[in-house]
Amino acid sequence: MKKTLLLIGMALLSFGTMHAQEDEGWIPKHVGVGVGLGTNGVSIDASTNINKWFGVRAGVNIFPTIKVKTDIDLGIENKTNGVDINQMSRHIDNLNAQIDAWNATHPANRMDRIDKSLLPDGNLPNSLDIEGKLKNTTFHFLVDVYPFGDKSSFHATVGAYFGPSKVVKVYNREDGFLTPVNQWNQAILTAQQNPTSTLNTMVVEPNNLQMIGAELGDYFIAPNPADNGNVEASIKVSGFRPYLGIGFGRAVPKNRIGCQFDMGVQFWGTPKVYAPTYNKATGEYQNEKLSKGNTDGKGGSTIKTISKISVYPVISFRLVGRIL
């Protein structure tokens, strides 16, 4: 696809170059400005026409930040041997008592107590309020080729958009909300790594307590303690996005005011999904790229769908004016 795009772009540029050399040279004739609206957001750019065959434009596309709020089930009761969420306070109290005992005998390897003051009603949360944010403000540099010269405003366009690699971010709405979950997980891990400790023999093992997180195929999604009780997942694409399109209208109109319509696609590559995970085999937290082959269920099908969206459609309508 990239090779095909490059060949098409070279052909268009060669066409424009040939006519520019045959016609009036490469000296800019007029300068224009434009304001537009479309799938890129609000665009503002400047343009110049080299001659009747060839023009260039550059500018910025201001995309409004879109936020979506929802909540997800953390499945706490599945990690606590079926204990109702309203009875979790008992487990927390028992864990804290053994954490105090652990800290007294292991001063070099102290653990934080599970801070019930940070918990709604003193219980671990059964759901997490999250917010998704879409940000896609970009810059562009485009070359317009008018194959029919002055006879038509139809044009083919090749160029590129430049934008953020992280286009979607999903995170917890309340800062530090998952701090007690981190403290719980640390207690469970310490107990599992020290099977003869009273933390394990008196609380974790008898009650079959487990780390809190989401199972997604081969991945265990869990907050990283280094993130201070916060969690973030993201979708990343290429920051450099080749563009190919067609349209009508001139970026520098023949009269003072004109309009321009464009449609095409940005090639932003295969989207990649990143999420905080805990590797139970290595004991490491990381921000991991999720592979569609290693996920299953609803989350896995979502990742597979996202990975297929390798282009971003562009449709825009612009008002343009000639200033020189």
Side-chain angles (χ1 to χ4, degrees), residues 87-103:
Q87 302 173 12
M88 281 301 300
S89 183
R90 175 172 56 85
H91 279 328
I92 295 173
D93 289 339
N94 291 336
L95 281 172
N96 278 340
Q98 295 307 316
I99 288 173
D100 289 339
W102 172 273
N103 289 340

Side-chain angles (χ1 to χ4, degrees), residues 5 35 44 48 91 95 139 143 150 163 180 191 199 213 267 295 315 319:
L5 177 63
V35 177
I44 303 171
T48 184
H91 279 328
L95 281 172
F139 296 91
V143 178
D150 286 336
L199 180 65
F267 296 84
T295 57
I315 299 176
L319 292 176

Side-chain angles (χ1 to χ4, degrees), residues 40 57-63 135-143 158-167 237-243 265-268 312 314:
N40 280 326
R57 46 188 159 122
V60 61
N61 313 282
I62 304 171
F63 197 91
K135 297 184 69 174
N136 194 31
T137 292
T138 57
F139 296 91
H140 63 262
F141 180 81
L142 304 174
V143 178
V158 64
Y161 283 77
F162 308 86
S165 60
K166 185 186 294 186
V167 292
V237 298
S238 174
F240 171 71
R241 310 168 192 174
Y243 172 82
V265 290
Q266 297 175 27
F267 296 84
W268 66 7
Y312 182 81
V314 175

Side-chain angles (χ1 to χ4, degrees), residues 68-320:
V68 178
K69 298 179 181 180
T70 186
D71 61 82
I72 58 173
D73 185 2
L74 293 177
I76 301 297
E77 295 173 13
N78 297 329
K79 308 297 181 181
T80 56
N81 202 23
V83 174
D84 185 87
I85 193 67
N86 295 322
Q87 302 173 12
M88 281 301 300
S89 183
R90 175 172 56 85
H91 279 328
I92 295 173
D93 289 339
N94 291 336
L95 281 172
N96 278 340
Q98 295 307 316
I99 288 173
D100 289 339
W102 172 273
N103 289 340
T105 56
H106 299 80
N109 191 23
R110 293 179 59 85
M111 285 185 291
D112 290 333
R113 302 175 92 253
I114 301 171
D115 191 349
K116 294 177 66 174
S117 69
L118 301 176
L119 296 169
D121 301 321
N123 294 310
L124 286 170
N126 202 35
S127 62
L128 175 66
D129 292 331
I130 62 172
E131 184 172 83
K133 180 186 294 185
L134 171 63
K135 297 184 69 174
N136 194 31
T137 292
T138 57
F139 296 91
H140 63 262
F141 180 81
L142 304 174
V143 178
D144 294 323
V145 177
Y146 297 88
F148 305 108
D150 286 336
K151 297 179 181 180
S152 173
S153 66
F154 172 80
H155 58 268
T157 303
V158 64
Y161 283 77
F162 308 86
S165 60
K166 185 186 294 186
V167 292
V168 175
K169 182 170 67 172
V170 180
Y171 50 90
N172 53 290
R173 288 163 55 187
E174 184 178 336
D175 184 50
F177 185 75
L178 294 172
T179 295
V181 173
N182 285 335
Q183 295 164 343
W184 172 283
N185 285 346
Q186 183 58 43
I188 302 303
L189 284 174
T190 301
Q192 293 173 347
Q193 294 164 2
N194 298 272
T196 60
S197 66
T198 56
L199 180 65
N200 185 59
T201 59
M202 295 184 66
V203 184
V204 174
E205 188 175 34
N207 295 289
N208 191 28
L209 302 184
Q210 302 173 40
M211 291 181 66
I212 294 172
E215 301 282 354
L216 185 60
D218 294 340
Y219 303 103
F220 183 68
I221 311 298
N224 189 331
D227 293 330
N228 301 315
N230 298 308
V231 64
E232 178 183 306
S234 60
I235 299 176
K236 296 183 179 181
V237 298
S238 174
F240 171 71
R241 310 168 192 174
Y243 172 82
L244 187 64
I246 58 174
F248 293 90
R250 295 181 180 273
V252 181
K254 294 181 179 179
N255 300 316
R256 283 295 179 183
I257 301 294
C259 59
Q260 187 176 30
F261 173 78
D262 284 277
M263 61 184 299
V265 290
Q266 297 175 27
F267 296 84
W268 66 7
T270 301
K272 300 175 178 61
V273 179
Y274 287 82
T277 64
Y278 176 76
N279 189 318
K280 295 181 179 180
T282 64
E284 294 180 348
Y285 288 95
Q286 56 192 341
N287 188 41
E288 189 170 5
K289 181 178 73 173
L290 305 186
S291 169
K292 61 182 179 181
N294 294 331
T295 57
D296 55 17
K298 182 178 179 180
S301 62
T302 300
I303 292 174
K304 292 175 183 178
T305 300
I306 291 173
S307 66
K308 295 178 181 178
I309 307 174
S310 60
V311 299
Y312 182 81
V314 175
I315 299 176
S316 67
F317 179 83
R318 301 168 59 249
L319 292 176
V320 293

Side-chain angles (χ1 to χ4, degrees), residues 16-30 49-54 150:
T17 302
M18 177 182 66
H19 284 282
Q21 292 173 341
E22 291 177 354
D23 189 40
E24 299 172 343
W26 285 71
I27 302 174
K29 302 301 180 183
H30 297 287
N49 59 334
I50 304 303
N51 51 45
K52 65 182 180 181
W53 309 100
F54 192 77
D150 286 336

